[in-house]
Amino acid sequence: QVQLVESGGGLVQAGGSLRLSCTASGRIFSRYGMGWFRQAPGNEREFVAAINWSGDTTDYAESVKGRFTISRDVKNMVYLQMNSLKPEDTAVYHCAAGYYSGNYPLLQRGEYQYWGQGTQVTVSS
């Protein structure tokens, strides 16, 4: 089992920044690809960003490219730095872990076995 806990959400004005953190515990963290997804009211949960297990390959949704950065440390933390935030970024952001020892990030919801409860991000105009 892997347990994931997100933090760092909040209310910010358009153009501002937030840094989300995800703390992972449980099984061997280093062999898991990690991702961030978000879900706004009435919408499907959508992919935001992903990083492979070794931390050297990332991928992003088109809507956040150039504004968001995903990173991880060697222990048990994953981060999402969000800059130039827009009102349409408002959502609950979820951290996810998927076991995969390959070299590419996991992009599909079904590839992730573990999910956090989420943290609310609200961007005001």
Side-chain angles (χ1 to χ4, degrees), residues 30-96:
S30 61
R31 289 296 177 181
Y32 283 79
M34 300 298 295
W36 287 95
F37 289 73
R38 67 187 181 188
Q39 187 167 18
N43 290 356
E44 295 283 324
R45 188 170 298 187
E46 65 175 6
F47 169 76
V48 175
I51 189 166
N52 70 338
W53 72 271
S54 60
D56 57 8
T57 306
T58 59
D59 207 344
Y60 298 90
E62 285 297 324
S63 59
V64 306
K65 276 184 180 177
R67 301 188 298 122
F68 290 13
T69 303
I70 187 172
S71 61
R72 66 189 297 170
D73 66 17
V74 296
K75 293 186 177 180
N76 64 342
M77 298 294 294
V78 180
Y79 306 97
L80 185 68
Q81 178 67 44
M82 306 187 294
N83 299 328
S84 302
L85 283 161
K86 305 175 181 179
E88 51 263 44
D89 294 318
T90 295
V92 175
Y93 283 70
H94 296 268
C95 177

